[in-house]
Amino acid sequence: MKPAVTYELLHECKQTGARRGVIHTPHGDIQTPIFMPVGTQATVKSMTPEELKEEVKAQIILSNTYHLYLRPGHEIVKEAGGLHKFMNWDRPILTDCGGFQVFSLSDLRTISEDGVEFKSHLDGSKHFFSPEKVMEIEEALGADIIMSFDECVEHRCKL
């Protein structure tokens, strides 16, 4: 069985180790390195998919798992045919894992060995994210590339 996503190395700089390549996905190829616009809630603010393709030449969009989970909800996106149909984007999509929200919403979360409990910034409701739950949400969203749950640490953090 062929993997859904593959990477093809085109060039590696001998001095720096910097690489240029192509990521092949079911929704198209991504030339790297790449600028990736962020569509936090399944839309890049103030731009249509056509503008992203024609003017920005976007090859991929990043969407935010945490925010899509809260609204409209990953099950609604799944029922709509996945994130590609939901946001009218036929090119690759990457979903992040919510790890940045663990950092940025520190006043609204509690970290344990099993995951993170968030208090929604929208209505105060409680939600628990474990690595397994994040994978479940991202699978339902149907992105080409999904990120595993991580935790961002503060600048100059002593581990």
Side-chain angles (χ1 to χ4, degrees), residues 35-73:
F35 168 73
M36 187 180 332
V38 177
T40 298
Q41 292 181 298
T43 184
V44 176
K45 304 299 184 245
S46 77
M47 297 197 80
T48 67
E50 293 76 22
E51 290 171 324
L52 286 167
K53 289 177 189 178
E54 295 165 17
E55 295 175 31
V56 178
K57 307 286 189 233
Q59 299 174 49
I60 185 171
I61 292 177
L62 183 150
S63 283
N64 185 280
T65 297
Y66 173 81
H67 291 289
L68 289 169
Y69 166 82
L70 289 180
R71 69 176 169 207

Side-chain angles (χ1 to χ4, degrees), residues 90-159:
D90 61 0
R91 293 182 180 179
I93 298 172
L94 179 145
T95 47
D96 69 1
C97 63
F100 180 73
Q101 283 70 37
V102 173
F103 170 76
S104 67
L105 300 175
S106 60
D107 293 342
L108 300 174
R109 57 92 171 129
T110 304
I111 300 172
S112 71
E113 284 295 316
D114 297 322
V116 179
E117 182 177 79
F118 288 99
K119 191 168 147 186
S120 169
H121 66 286
L122 301 172
D123 63 7
S125 60
K126 291 185 178 181
H127 304 274
F128 187 77
F129 274 31
S130 66
E132 297 83 2
K133 179 67 175 181
V134 170
M135 290 293 109
E136 174 190 316
I137 295 166
E138 289 186 276
E139 286 283 329
L141 294 172
D144 297 280
I145 301 171
I146 62 176
M147 306 306 290
S148 61
F149 199 36
D150 62 358
E151 178 183 353
C152 296
V153 293
E154 292 183 43
H155 178 63
R156 301 178 194 231
C157 180
K158 294 180 182 176
L159 300 175

